[in-house]
Amino acid sequence: MNLQRIADKLGITVDRLQSLQDTKISESSWPEPQLLRFDKEISGVEAGTVIFKNGEIVWGYPSIRRPLMLEAGIKRHFIDSVAVEEKMNGHNVRITSIDGDIVALTRGGFVCPYSTEVATRLLPEDIFEEKPNLVLCAEMVGPENPYVSLDVYPTDSIDLYLFDVAQKNQRGTHGVHKTHEIAEDFGLKGTAFFGEFPRETAHKRIKEIVIKLGRQGREGVVLKDPENRVAPLKYTSSESNCNDLAIAFSHYNDYALDFFLSRAVREGFQSVEWQESVEERRERARRIGESILLPLTETIKNKQQGETIMQRIKIRVKSLATARGFEYHLRRCGIRAIFDQPLPDDDGYTIGITKIIMSTNDKTEALLNGEMW
Amino acid sequence: MNLQRIADKLGITVDRLQSLQDTKISESSWPEPQLLRFDKEISGVEAGTVIFKNGEIVWGYPSIRRPLMLEAGIKRHFIDSVAVEEKMNGHNVRITSIDGDIVALTRGGFVCPYSTEVATRLLPEDIFEEKPNLVLCAEMVGPENPYVSLDVYPTDSIDLYLFDVAQKNQRGTHGVHKTHEIAEDFGLKGTAFFGEFPRETAHKRIKEIVIKLGRQGREGVVLKDPENRVAPLKYTSSESNCNDLAIAFSHYNDYALDFFLSRAVREGFQSVEWQESVEERRERARRIGESILLPLTETIKNKQQGETIMQRIKIRVKSLATARGFEYHLRRCGIRAIFDQPLPDDDGYTIGITKIIMSTNDKTEALLNGEMW
């Protein structure tokens, strides 16, 4: 690798790059293509940025900030108008082509073998021939998404929705217009576009959109500057916040603590901003309380009945090598998963996977046996 | 100070004591008597242990562990029977006499000037003359408790309930019998004693007691071995868990995150152990949800209306020096409090205090102005 060229592209000195290589940048030698990964943001380089062994760079997707007061947040942040798109609940991938092969990178900068196979299947063959430097930023969603399995989207398997585009070796993304243009040109699905609204009144329309999305079990919205002049913001439905609480509390010992607090606080600000009546606020409180207590008691009761605390998911693959690769990928991500025997079908294999929720499983068993908290 | 004698009493070497003195033991030179404080447990010496400048030691009160499953926890922990006492909700002090002066130590090992004045007022004059080495472990409770102000106990000011006794320069406490003996001999109130129950059936009686205490807004119980052979355990009512959540969420940015998780998880285990019906469980969920959302929205609305997020308390003191001392004590504990002008009454002064909940106040203001979370 030509360190000088890479350092130039990253906007840091060669010395700095070399010292980071010894300490802060991880090497990921599997699967091909090999790459260097920025685990965390360092020296202004986004987390998830990768440098491939051929010297090409794919920048990490910047994390999107969240206002808790929608109206005030929009007025503070946007310039004149706000484009509103759906925030989908799946996993975020960056898809590009390296030395002629399609590669799907996870948020953290790993090549995910399963996402790569899905992307290869769903994308038109010629997209990277026509646009060799293109990076597609997409959300993979659906029941066969092994990271976030949800059946609220119009697929019974896994699908891919474009939400932004970027270029290899270039920082930044191209935003709303370019993304929808690329989606149209290549017949890709883009995340739903709800319209462009003036900054002063956008919050009213967004409230309606978010309430409607929430009723459908969907997550929320991403707010973008139509001309890509300022960073996007995100805002989620109460149902999505509570759904997060439910997942967290059914696996109460496996999740980070700040998960809980942030979801609850979002609910408080949304309730105040939307000037809820006493009745509406009590209904929201009931939803929060039940999202915490009911999944928690289910988990405890299941363990009491001798069950293992786990999560069942299902993937479909064309090649068994993808499944083996994905098994290894989950392991390196610290997820303990047991893969069933593959069931062959017309076009590949269906494989059931059991994710073991280790920490909650062991803690619940200990507490049921009278151990102290 | 004779380091050798102190090290012997602590059960550590002089070398170890000297190295700790340089690093881990804090000096507290105000108010008199000066002392050395163990901030944290080190080398088997409990947190809150203090060494007075005259060489006398008062051991920290050991923290009490909590089973989440009452029956299993009791069976695992106790030998044959379980003495059940009320766990009161106030602040825990250790009161003793050093060089002829009464001193009340907080949990962390500070001399609290206010608690010291209250103890001096409430204790019989001769107690430390008759028992110069006695350490009274007591809970201070009531509406004029500036740390935890609650009006569920039979006092309209502040009162003191003995829950254990110890000796200066001796590790360990003396347990149930000795405590009630001392209380009786000196006319002190002890924490309510609900009886002694066989290990096998104690959980049934304790459940009834805890439910009754909860209905009265009281905290819960401490379970003790009648012969003091094993450490005590604690167990709290759902109302107390939810009350903690309410306090935490009305000051959501000032509390430790693990506060939230632990209260919620307790509720889950209690609901399962008590085999609640669907209706009872929904009622508990409603209580949890409302304990989170309603105080949180109150705080946000108050700030929206331009109020400062704060807490009003009131103390009564005989001497203005105590109030000034207490003001200084709060400051060194990191609590920002503004003291009103003292109002003289028959027997001293009443002083209103405003505790500023700084972090939540500032964070809420920022979020209301559209800042991102």
Side-chain angles (χ1 to χ4, degrees):
Chain A
M1 297 208 307
N2 182 331
L3 285 186
Q4 183 64 57
R5 279 193 50 202
I6 291 169
D8 285 348
K9 287 190 210 164
L10 290 172
I12 60 182
T13 65
V14 172
D15 280 359
R16 180 75 181 131
L17 179 59
Q18 273 171 327
S19 80
L20 289 177
Q21 251 191 295
D22 295 337
T23 53
K24 302 283 184 183
I25 309 180
S26 321
E27 193 167 333
S28 182
S29 57
W30 176 92
E32 294 291 341
Q34 294 184 18
L35 52 83
L36 298 176
R37 259 179 354 101
F38 282 75
D39 274 316
K40 295 184 183 165
E41 194 254 281
I42 310 158
S43 293
V45 178
E46 269 93 9
T49 296
V50 306
I51 308 164
F52 289 98
K53 280 295 162 93
N54 69 2
E56 293 188 306
I57 296 176
V58 173
W59 290 84
Y61 198 80
S63 71
I64 299 181
R65 303 199 70 197
R66 172 193 304 271
L68 292 196
M69 295 297 273
L70 194 51
E71 181 179 358
I74 288 170
K75 289 187 174 159
R76 190 188 179 96
H77 186 79
F78 286 102
I79 299 165
D80 40 30
S81 65
V82 184
V84 182
E85 293 185 355
E86 183 172 359
K87 178 177 188 343
M88 302 181 86
N89 196 357
H91 74 288
N92 174 320
V93 287
R94 285 161 292 150
I95 308 165
T96 193
S97 170
I98 301 294
D99 299 332
D101 288 320
I102 287 183
V103 163
L105 294 169
T106 63
R107 202 77 214 242
F110 284 113
V111 174
C112 168
Y114 177 64
S115 307
T116 297
E117 196 198 275
V118 170
T120 307
R121 177 158 52 83
L122 294 178
L123 292 177
E125 274 186 25
D126 57 348
I127 187 165
F128 294 111
E129 280 162 33
E130 275 191 45
K131 309 243 173 211
N133 286 318
L134 186 64
V135 177
L136 300 168
C137 305
E139 194 80 4
M140 285 197 175
V141 299
E144 290 178 5
N145 180 328
Y147 301 103
V148 182
S149 171
L150 269 185
D151 55 10
V152 299
Y153 301 109
T155 169
D156 57 4
S157 169
I158 183 165
D159 211 344
L160 185 157
Y161 289 80
L162 200 63
F163 63 82
D164 212 338
V165 288
Q167 295 280 309
K168 282 189 290 194
N169 307 315
Q170 264 184 42
R171 199 166 207 163
T173 64
H174 298 316
V176 180
H177 297 314
K178 188 75 187 164
T179 301
H180 288 280
E181 194 185 302
I182 294 273
E184 200 157 307
D185 287 354
F186 292 95
L188 295 174
K189 289 175 188 147
T191 50
F193 178 75
F194 295 116
E196 211 177 298
F197 308 109
R199 188 182 76 146
E200 299 307 312
T201 53
H203 62 279
K204 292 183 196 163
R205 298 296 300 276
I206 295 166
K207 175 183 168 183
E208 290 164 15
I209 294 165
V210 166
I211 288 175
K212 215 173 274 177
L213 287 171
R215 287 205 195 107
Q216 297 163 20
R218 292 177 173 225
E219 190 175 7
V221 292
V222 176
L223 313 179
K224 294 177 174 171
D225 180 84
E227 306 309 323
N228 211 20
R229 294 164 294 181
V230 295
L233 301 181
K234 60 188 171 189
Y235 191 80
T236 50
S237 66
S238 175
E239 288 80 359
S240 167
N241 298 335
C242 287
N243 187 47
D244 285 352
L245 286 175
I247 293 168
F249 276 92
S250 66
H251 307 153
Y252 64 92
N253 222 44
D254 287 76
Y255 276 91
L257 289 170
D258 57 356
F259 198 94
F260 310 135
L261 181 68
S262 61
R263 269 47 176 196
V265 172
R266 287 178 203 168
E267 287 294 285
F269 278 86
Q270 190 170 82
S271 176
V272 170
E273 177 162 19
W274 292 357
Q275 297 179 309
E276 288 183 324
S277 65
V278 172
E279 265 323 295
E280 286 169 325
R281 191 159 288 155
R282 286 196 185 276
E283 172 60 19
R284 188 187 285 268
R286 186 196 58 72
R287 192 160 61 225
I288 295 170
E290 293 189 358
S291 302
I292 291 171
L293 190 67
L294 304 186
L296 181 58
T297 52
E298 271 315 297
T299 288
I300 301 167
K301 281 193 296 178
N302 288 342
K303 188 76 227 172
Q304 209 173 29
Q305 283 155 23
E307 290 172 28
T308 303
I309 312 300
M310 45 102 164
Q311 205 189 342
R312 280 291 290 174
I313 48 178
K314 194 180 78 177
I315 60 172
R316 235 177 307 179
V317 292
K318 285 198 170 183
S319 135
L320 286 177
T322 302
R324 279 193 297 273
F326 185 57
E327 195 171 357
Y328 180 79
H329 170 70
L330 288 181
R331 207 176 309 144
R332 76 173 165 184
C333 295
I335 297 166
R336 213 185 125 189
I338 298 163
F339 281 56
D340 296 350
Q341 204 60 31
L343 295 176
D345 57 30
D346 290 353
D347 193 30
Y349 303 85
T350 299
I351 305 176
I353 302 174
T354 303
K355 276 196 204 169
I356 310 288
I357 315 295
M358 280 301 284
S359 169
T360 300
N361 188 67
D362 296 353
K363 184 77 172 177
T364 307
E365 180 159 355
L367 290 169
L368 283 168
N369 288 330
E371 266 188 29
M372 308 303 152
W373 173 254
Chain B
M1 298 205 309
N2 182 329
L3 285 185
Q4 182 65 57
R5 280 192 49 203
I6 291 169
D8 285 350
K9 288 190 209 165
L10 290 173
I12 60 181
T13 64
V14 173
D15 281 359
R16 180 76 181 130
L17 179 59
Q18 272 171 326
S19 80
L20 288 178
Q21 251 191 294
D22 295 337
T23 52
K24 303 281 183 183
I25 309 181
S26 320
E27 193 166 333
S28 180
S29 57
W30 176 93
E32 294 292 340
Q34 294 183 18
L35 51 82
L36 298 176
R37 258 176 359 100
F38 282 76
D39 275 315
K40 294 185 182 165
E41 194 252 280
I42 310 158
S43 294
V45 177
E46 269 93 11
T49 296
V50 305
I51 307 164
F52 290 98
K53 280 294 162 93
N54 68 2
E56 293 188 306
I57 296 175
V58 173
W59 291 85
Y61 198 80
S63 71
I64 300 181
R65 303 198 70 197
R66 171 193 305 270
L68 292 196
M69 294 298 273
L70 194 52
E71 180 178 0
I74 289 170
K75 288 186 174 160
R76 188 188 180 96
H77 185 80
F78 287 102
I79 299 164
D80 39 28
S81 64
V82 184
V84 181
E85 293 185 353
E86 183 171 358
K87 179 177 188 341
M88 301 181 85
N89 196 357
H91 75 288
N92 174 321
V93 288
R94 285 159 293 151
I95 308 164
T96 193
S97 170
I98 301 294
D99 299 333
D101 288 320
I102 287 182
V103 163
L105 295 169
T106 63
R107 200 77 214 243
F110 284 113
V111 174
C112 168
Y114 178 64
S115 307
T116 297
E117 196 199 275
V118 170
T120 307
R121 176 158 53 83
L122 295 177
L123 292 176
E125 276 187 23
D126 57 348
I127 188 165
F128 294 111
E129 280 162 34
E130 275 191 44
K131 308 245 173 213
N133 286 316
L134 186 63
V135 177
L136 300 169
C137 305
E139 194 80 4
M140 285 196 175
V141 298
E144 290 178 4
N145 180 328
Y147 302 103
V148 183
S149 171
L150 269 185
D151 56 8
V152 299
Y153 302 109
T155 169
D156 57 3
S157 169
I158 184 165
D159 211 345
L160 184 158
Y161 289 80
L162 200 63
F163 65 81
D164 212 336
V165 288
Q167 295 280 309
K168 281 189 291 195
N169 308 313
Q170 265 183 41
R171 198 167 209 162
T173 65
H174 297 317
V176 180
H177 298 312
K178 188 73 187 165
T179 301
H180 289 279
E181 195 185 302
I182 295 271
E184 200 158 308
D185 286 356
F186 292 95
L188 295 173
K189 288 174 188 147
T191 50
F193 178 76
F194 295 116
E196 210 178 299
F197 308 109
R199 188 181 75 145
E200 299 306 312
T201 54
H203 62 280
K204 292 183 195 162
R205 297 296 300 276
I206 294 167
K207 175 184 169 182
E208 291 163 16
I209 294 165
V210 167
I211 287 175
K212 214 174 276 177
L213 287 170
R215 286 203 195 108
Q216 296 162 21
R218 291 177 173 225
E219 189 175 9
V221 293
V222 176
L223 313 179
K224 294 178 175 172
D225 181 84
E227 306 308 323
N228 211 21
R229 294 162 295 180
V230 295
L233 300 182
K234 61 187 170 190
Y235 192 81
T236 49
S237 65
S238 175
E239 288 79 359
S240 166
N241 298 337
C242 287
N243 187 47
D244 285 352
L245 286 176
I247 293 168
F249 276 94
S250 66
H251 307 154
Y252 64 93
N253 222 45
D254 287 77
Y255 276 91
L257 291 171
D258 57 356
F259 197 94
F260 178 20
L261 180 69
S262 62
R263 269 49 175 194
V265 172
R266 287 178 202 167
E267 289 294 286
F269 278 86
Q270 190 170 82
S271 176
V272 170
E273 176 162 22
W274 292 357
Q275 299 181 307
E276 288 182 325
S277 66
V278 172
E279 264 324 293
E280 286 168 326
R281 190 159 290 156
R282 286 195 184 277
E283 172 59 21
R284 188 187 287 268
R286 187 197 57 74
R287 193 160 60 227
I288 295 170
E290 292 188 359
S291 302
I292 291 171
L293 190 67
L294 304 186
L296 180 59
T297 52
E298 270 316 295
T299 287
I300 300 167
K301 281 192 297 178
N302 287 343
K303 188 75 227 172
Q304 209 173 29
Q305 283 153 24
E307 289 173 28
T308 303
I309 311 301
M310 45 103 164
Q311 205 187 344
R312 280 291 291 175
I313 49 178
K314 194 182 76 179
I315 60 172
R316 236 177 306 179
V317 292
K318 285 196 170 183
S319 134
L320 287 178
T322 303
R324 278 193 298 273
F326 185 57
E327 194 170 355
Y328 181 79
H329 169 70
L330 287 181
R331 208 174 311 146
R332 76 173 163 184
C333 295
I335 297 167
R336 210 182 129 190
I338 297 162
F339 281 56
D340 296 351
Q341 205 60 31
L343 295 175
D345 57 29
D346 291 353
D347 193 29
Y349 304 86
T350 300
I351 304 176
I353 302 173
T354 303
K355 277 196 204 168
I356 310 287
I357 315 296
M358 279 301 284
S359 170
T360 300
N361 189 67
D362 297 352
K363 184 78 173 176
T364 307
E365 180 160 354
L367 290 170
L368 283 169
N369 288 331
E371 267 188 27
M372 307 303 151
W373 172 255

